[in-house]
Amino acid sequence: MSRYYTCLLYVALLLVAVPSTDAAIRQTKGDFEDRFRQLDEVLPTANSYRTAGGEPGHAYWQQKVSYEIDARLIENSRRIEASERITYTNNSPDTMRFLWLQLDQNRFRTDSMAELTQVFADSSRRGPKLEDRKEDKPPQISLDELRRQQFLADNETGYQIIDVRSGGSEMAHTIVGTLMRVDLSRPLGPGQAVEFTIEFAFNIVEEDAVSARSGYEHFPEDEREGGNDIFLLAQWFPRLHAYTDYEGWTNKEFLGRGEFTLEFGDYSVDITVPADHIVSSTGVLQNPADVLTRTQIKRLEQAEKADKPVFIVTPEEALDNEKEATKKTSTWRFKADNVRDFAWASSRKFIWDAQAYHQGGDVQPMVMAMSFYPREGEPLWSKYSTAAVIHTMKVYSRFSFDYPYPVAQSVNGPVGGMEYPMITFNGPRTDEQDDGERTYSQAEKRFLVGVVIHEVGHIYFPMTVNSDERQWTWMDEGLNSFLDAMAGLEWDPDIPWKVEPRDMVDYMKSEDQVPIMTQSDSVLRLGPNAYGKPAAALMILRETILGRELFDFAFREYSRRWRFKRPTPADFFRTMEEASGVDLDWFWRGWFYSTDHVDLSIDRIWKLRLDTKDPDIDFERRRQEEKDKPYSLIVERNRAERKLWIESNPEIRDFYDENDRFTVTNKERNEYRKFLQELEDWEVAALERALAEDKHYYVLEFSNHGGLVMPLILQLTYAEGDSEMMRIPAEIWRRNAKSVKKLIVTDRELTQVVIDPRWETADVDMENNHYPRRIIPSRIEAFKSPEREGLEQRDIMQDIKTELETPDKDEKKKE
Ligand SMILES: [Zn+2]
């Protein structure tokens, strides 16, 4: 807005509104809060490891931990027996006297902190259900919970640490819950490496019983005697905790929710399984000739040039496979470089398909996308899984960097969805019909495509951009949910993904919230808090605040800077701000550090009239205004009843009946002349120009009911019926975050203003976004009063005649 118009407005405002000083007073004392206060006092002080711009500093370091593992799956007892050789390289400037390892399997011990602190009514296992905490009803125990209790009572869980040894001599070690301290015989100085071995074993948990991110699933109805299993192995070997420049050892106990904080390293893993199993694993298979048939190897070569997935193990072969039994074993050897974890899956039930993705570039020009699934996943999996893996890489690489590894896999099993380097576990299944055909619902298809995109996406965040999952779930889940939404909407926008900011409204206005910046295990309602809300925030940042070009540049810069490194929240906030060139402290403060929501309202619009000061013009206008006012009903009816004295007695009319109060005299004309004479030349010029232009001046009054300051996205509709958009940055709220006024000067007559008409910002109340208010669109639903329920109301005579039906088994399994 130029200075020029400010002067004009002053003339007009004097006649219309008295400025209030209340707002100014509130800002200096009382409840004023500066929503634009810089975050530097909250973020950690920059140092040589991490710069104030959010980049790895000149002295950035991270440890390297490599593993050689020899593992054996004992199928009948569902047990892992293994030994590992760990090489720990100390790249820190510190000297270390001990190392801390993660013993995640110990979480399943009945005396673990996770089990002992499991809160009852925590029936969803991944966090208390809102309804359970609110309602004052007697506790109920679910069959899920009974199954879990029974499994843990019947099975010995947790690690057996058989031996810890370095250079031939035993190493002292101390187990603290899910942590194990190994004492070094000699201090490990900067730049030095130490090698040691651990021999260990554990019983694999049943995933469906304990919900473990890994475990076995049993198929008792398979033809093979004793049935079959799918084994998903993760958190299966003692691995190093991270040692970092900002926290030292990350020694927060594994409570089941906050995931993992890990170091990069190289892996060489030998996996011995029954000879008829197919193994999918992190890494690249080193000995295909030992474990695959010549046909399978040839099919893998075909997959390199195929334009759709090729079966490596066909459905018919898998079916034959799962009927057989063998006592033989074979050893699959995998190598994986620069990964932060290692997981694998094994079963004789697996169908296997593959298709190469030629992404080009020099990092990893060809990636083999593969899927492994039992017949229980068909026909859904062969159609969509590998395709979704490739789609994920295409979209994510555009937003970040080339997919960094030689393989990308999706494995079906009992885990709903979980990610590891190069391999993901995904749960969707199909239903068998009476005729043996298998079918699936649209929801199951959406689940499959969505979960594969999400979990494969995690291979970028946090498997490559290695954030601390134990501390900040949002750093991987939030960023990844943002990207999986982008990929989902690009896959097929007609699938109801429910991932846009508008879908977050109910959560944003709910009471049970903690800020996104809350440690993972303490978060209430993890899904919306750590997945949905940060994803919505990033979508708003991209589409509404920065625009795609600035956002995408900054997001790619963050990904590039922290690829194969360990970022903290501050590094993300600082990079996004620095690379976009836009101050975003207010945005991080509002969306990540507070529980405020968006609820902007347009309360009033004033139409200002510029008075000419010329009485010959203004008085006539005021006379007209008087005439335009609604006429008095009483007078109108009196006149109709001929009750007006002056009309029935015309002789009493005088001067004032001919000349009303808007009659101009020379007195007013002289005053006007004096007014003009006293004006400076520029003031006369401004006034004359404004009068000549005859523009419309509107003052729009906005208020903020939700707390979050946001841009004012305005749709202005004019008398001619067309409309235009006006986007006012959030900084308009900088001196008063509760209410602001905005002047709009236009040649045209304004008839309607709507805030955020495309529902971009998760505004929780759209009705106060309309001026004038609109008629609220809703649906008519015929309803009848609920019938009384109770033992007395049952029609027992009828019920007893009804045939007893057993509910479908799958129906019970759905949560
Ligand atoms: Zn996730």
Short mmCIF file of all heavy atoms in Angstrom, two decimals, residues 334-359:
data_model
loop_
_atom_site.label_atom_id
_atom_site.label_comp_id
_atom_site.label_asym_id
_atom_site.label_seq_id
_atom_site.Cartn_x
_atom_site.Cartn_y
_atom_site.Cartn_z
N PHE A 334 24.11 -62.14 2.52
CA PHE A 334 23.77 -60.78 2.07
C PHE A 334 24.84 -59.78 2.51
O PHE A 334 25.46 -59.94 3.56
CB PHE A 334 22.42 -60.34 2.67
CG PHE A 334 21.25 -61.09 2.11
CD1 PHE A 334 20.78 -62.25 2.74
CD2 PHE A 334 20.61 -60.65 0.96
CE1 PHE A 334 19.69 -62.95 2.23
CE2 PHE A 334 19.52 -61.35 0.44
CZ PHE A 334 19.06 -62.50 1.07
N LYS A 335 25.03 -58.78 1.66
CA LYS A 335 25.92 -57.67 2.01
C LYS A 335 25.15 -56.37 1.83
O LYS A 335 24.42 -56.19 0.84
CB LYS A 335 27.13 -57.65 1.07
CG LYS A 335 28.40 -58.23 1.67
CD LYS A 335 29.45 -58.36 0.59
CE LYS A 335 30.73 -57.62 0.94
NZ LYS A 335 31.40 -58.07 2.15
N ALA A 336 25.35 -55.47 2.78
CA ALA A 336 24.70 -54.15 2.68
C ALA A 336 25.68 -53.10 3.15
O ALA A 336 26.21 -53.22 4.27
CB ALA A 336 23.44 -54.12 3.53
N ASP A 337 25.93 -52.10 2.31
CA ASP A 337 26.86 -51.04 2.70
C ASP A 337 26.12 -49.79 3.13
O ASP A 337 25.12 -49.41 2.53
CB ASP A 337 27.78 -50.69 1.52
CG ASP A 337 28.78 -51.82 1.24
OD1 ASP A 337 29.02 -52.63 2.17
OD2 ASP A 337 29.29 -51.89 0.11
N ASN A 338 26.67 -49.16 4.15
CA ASN A 338 26.15 -47.87 4.62
C ASN A 338 24.66 -47.92 4.95
O ASN A 338 23.89 -47.10 4.44
CB ASN A 338 26.44 -46.78 3.57
CG ASN A 338 26.68 -45.43 4.21
OD1 ASN A 338 26.90 -45.35 5.42
ND2 ASN A 338 26.62 -44.37 3.42
N VAL A 339 24.29 -48.86 5.78
CA VAL A 339 22.90 -48.91 6.28
C VAL A 339 22.91 -48.73 7.79
O VAL A 339 23.91 -48.98 8.45
CB VAL A 339 22.20 -50.25 5.94
CG1 VAL A 339 21.84 -50.30 4.47
CG2 VAL A 339 23.05 -51.44 6.33
N ARG A 340 21.78 -48.31 8.34
CA ARG A 340 21.72 -48.08 9.79
C ARG A 340 21.02 -49.22 10.52
O ARG A 340 20.84 -49.15 11.73
CB ARG A 340 21.06 -46.76 10.12
CG ARG A 340 19.71 -46.54 9.50
CD ARG A 340 18.93 -45.45 10.21
NE ARG A 340 17.82 -46.05 10.92
CZ ARG A 340 17.03 -45.42 11.77
NH1 ARG A 340 17.24 -44.17 12.05
NH2 ARG A 340 16.04 -46.05 12.37
N ASP A 341 20.61 -50.25 9.76
CA ASP A 341 19.93 -51.36 10.43
C ASP A 341 19.88 -52.50 9.42
O ASP A 341 20.25 -52.33 8.25
CB ASP A 341 18.51 -50.94 10.84
CG ASP A 341 17.95 -51.81 11.97
OD1 ASP A 341 18.62 -52.80 12.36
OD2 ASP A 341 16.84 -51.51 12.46
N PHE A 342 19.38 -53.64 9.87
CA PHE A 342 19.34 -54.80 8.99
C PHE A 342 18.15 -55.67 9.40
O PHE A 342 17.99 -56.01 10.57
CB PHE A 342 20.65 -55.59 9.14
CG PHE A 342 20.84 -56.63 8.06
CD1 PHE A 342 21.68 -56.37 6.98
CD2 PHE A 342 20.19 -57.86 8.11
CE1 PHE A 342 21.87 -57.32 5.97
CE2 PHE A 342 20.36 -58.81 7.11
CZ PHE A 342 21.22 -58.55 6.05
N ALA A 343 17.27 -56.00 8.44
CA ALA A 343 16.11 -56.84 8.74
C ALA A 343 15.95 -57.86 7.62
O ALA A 343 16.48 -57.70 6.53
CB ALA A 343 14.86 -55.98 8.85
N TRP A 344 15.21 -58.92 7.89
CA TRP A 344 14.99 -59.94 6.86
C TRP A 344 13.71 -60.71 7.12
O TRP A 344 13.09 -60.61 8.18
CB TRP A 344 16.19 -60.88 6.75
CG TRP A 344 16.65 -61.54 8.04
CD1 TRP A 344 17.40 -60.93 9.01
CD2 TRP A 344 16.43 -62.88 8.47
NE1 TRP A 344 17.65 -61.83 10.03
CE2 TRP A 344 17.08 -63.04 9.72
CE3 TRP A 344 15.75 -63.98 7.92
CZ2 TRP A 344 17.06 -64.25 10.43
CZ3 TRP A 344 15.73 -65.18 8.63
CH2 TRP A 344 16.40 -65.30 9.87
N ALA A 345 13.30 -61.46 6.11
CA ALA A 345 12.07 -62.25 6.19
C ALA A 345 12.31 -63.60 5.54
O ALA A 345 13.11 -63.70 4.61
CB ALA A 345 10.94 -61.52 5.47
N SER A 346 11.62 -64.61 6.04
CA SER A 346 11.86 -65.95 5.51
C SER A 346 10.58 -66.78 5.60
O SER A 346 9.88 -66.74 6.62
CB SER A 346 12.98 -66.61 6.33
OG SER A 346 13.31 -67.86 5.78
N SER A 347 10.27 -67.49 4.49
CA SER A 347 9.11 -68.39 4.51
C SER A 347 9.12 -69.25 3.26
O SER A 347 9.65 -68.84 2.21
CB SER A 347 7.80 -67.58 4.55
OG SER A 347 6.70 -68.47 4.56
N ARG A 348 8.52 -70.42 3.35
CA ARG A 348 8.36 -71.23 2.14
C ARG A 348 7.06 -70.85 1.42
O ARG A 348 6.76 -71.37 0.39
CB ARG A 348 8.40 -72.73 2.45
CG ARG A 348 7.29 -73.26 3.32
CD ARG A 348 7.37 -74.77 3.47
NE ARG A 348 8.62 -75.19 4.09
CZ ARG A 348 8.88 -75.08 5.40
NH1 ARG A 348 7.97 -74.57 6.21
NH2 ARG A 348 10.03 -75.48 5.89
N LYS A 349 6.31 -69.94 2.00
CA LYS A 349 5.05 -69.53 1.39
C LYS A 349 5.21 -68.42 0.35
O LYS A 349 4.27 -68.10 -0.37
CB LYS A 349 4.08 -69.01 2.48
CG LYS A 349 3.51 -70.12 3.37
CD LYS A 349 2.63 -69.54 4.48
CE LYS A 349 1.33 -68.95 3.97
NZ LYS A 349 0.38 -69.91 3.42
N PHE A 350 6.42 -67.83 0.27
CA PHE A 350 6.56 -66.61 -0.51
C PHE A 350 6.45 -66.80 -2.03
O PHE A 350 7.18 -67.59 -2.63
CB PHE A 350 7.89 -65.93 -0.23
CG PHE A 350 7.93 -65.17 1.08
CD1 PHE A 350 9.11 -65.06 1.80
CD2 PHE A 350 6.79 -64.55 1.59
CE1 PHE A 350 9.16 -64.36 2.99
CE2 PHE A 350 6.83 -63.85 2.79
CZ PHE A 350 8.02 -63.76 3.49
N ILE A 351 5.53 -66.05 -2.62
CA ILE A 351 5.56 -65.74 -4.05
C ILE A 351 6.53 -64.55 -4.14
O ILE A 351 6.61 -63.74 -3.22
CB ILE A 351 4.16 -65.31 -4.54
CG1 ILE A 351 3.14 -66.43 -4.27
CG2 ILE A 351 4.19 -64.90 -6.01
CD1 ILE A 351 1.69 -65.97 -4.37
N TRP A 352 7.29 -64.45 -5.24
CA TRP A 352 8.31 -63.39 -5.33
C TRP A 352 8.22 -62.77 -6.72
O TRP A 352 8.28 -63.49 -7.71
CB TRP A 352 9.67 -64.05 -5.07
CG TRP A 352 10.90 -63.20 -5.22
CD1 TRP A 352 10.98 -61.87 -5.48
CD2 TRP A 352 12.26 -63.68 -5.14
NE1 TRP A 352 12.30 -61.48 -5.54
CE2 TRP A 352 13.10 -62.56 -5.34
CE3 TRP A 352 12.84 -64.93 -4.91
CZ2 TRP A 352 14.50 -62.67 -5.32
CZ3 TRP A 352 14.23 -65.04 -4.90
CH2 TRP A 352 15.04 -63.91 -5.10
N ASP A 353 8.03 -61.45 -6.77
CA ASP A 353 8.11 -60.79 -8.07
C ASP A 353 9.09 -59.63 -8.03
O ASP A 353 9.43 -59.14 -6.95
CB ASP A 353 6.73 -60.37 -8.60
CG ASP A 353 6.13 -59.17 -7.88
OD1 ASP A 353 6.85 -58.19 -7.63
OD2 ASP A 353 4.91 -59.22 -7.56
N ALA A 354 9.57 -59.25 -9.20
CA ALA A 354 10.62 -58.22 -9.27
C ALA A 354 10.52 -57.45 -10.57
O ALA A 354 10.09 -57.98 -11.59
CB ALA A 354 11.99 -58.87 -9.16
N GLN A 355 10.90 -56.19 -10.50
CA GLN A 355 10.99 -55.35 -11.70
C GLN A 355 12.04 -54.27 -11.43
O GLN A 355 11.99 -53.60 -10.40
CB GLN A 355 9.64 -54.69 -12.01
CG GLN A 355 9.68 -53.82 -13.26
CD GLN A 355 8.41 -52.99 -13.43
OE1 GLN A 355 7.40 -53.23 -12.78
NE2 GLN A 355 8.48 -52.00 -14.30
N ALA A 356 12.96 -54.11 -12.37
CA ALA A 356 14.00 -53.10 -12.16
C ALA A 356 13.42 -51.71 -12.38
O ALA A 356 12.55 -51.51 -13.22
CB ALA A 356 15.15 -53.33 -13.12
N TYR A 357 13.92 -50.78 -11.58
CA TYR A 357 13.58 -49.38 -11.77
C TYR A 357 14.86 -48.67 -12.20
O TYR A 357 15.84 -48.62 -11.44
CB TYR A 357 13.02 -48.80 -10.47
CG TYR A 357 12.93 -47.29 -10.46
CD1 TYR A 357 12.30 -46.61 -11.50
CD2 TYR A 357 13.45 -46.54 -9.41
CE1 TYR A 357 12.21 -45.22 -11.50
CE2 TYR A 357 13.36 -45.16 -9.40
CZ TYR A 357 12.74 -44.51 -10.45
OH TYR A 357 12.65 -43.14 -10.44
N HIS A 358 14.86 -48.17 -13.42
CA HIS A 358 16.05 -47.50 -13.94
C HIS A 358 15.93 -46.01 -13.66
O HIS A 358 15.34 -45.27 -14.42
CB HIS A 358 16.20 -47.78 -15.43
CG HIS A 358 16.40 -49.24 -15.72
ND1 HIS A 358 17.64 -49.83 -15.71
CD2 HIS A 358 15.52 -50.23 -15.99
CE1 HIS A 358 17.52 -51.12 -15.98
NE2 HIS A 358 16.23 -51.40 -16.13
N GLN A 359 16.51 -45.61 -12.52
CA GLN A 359 16.35 -44.20 -12.15
C GLN A 359 17.44 -43.33 -12.75
O GLN A 359 17.34 -42.10 -12.70
CB GLN A 359 16.32 -44.03 -10.63
CG GLN A 359 17.62 -44.39 -9.92
CD GLN A 359 17.58 -44.07 -8.43
OE1 GLN A 359 16.72 -43.34 -7.96
NE2 GLN A 359 18.52 -44.63 -7.67
#
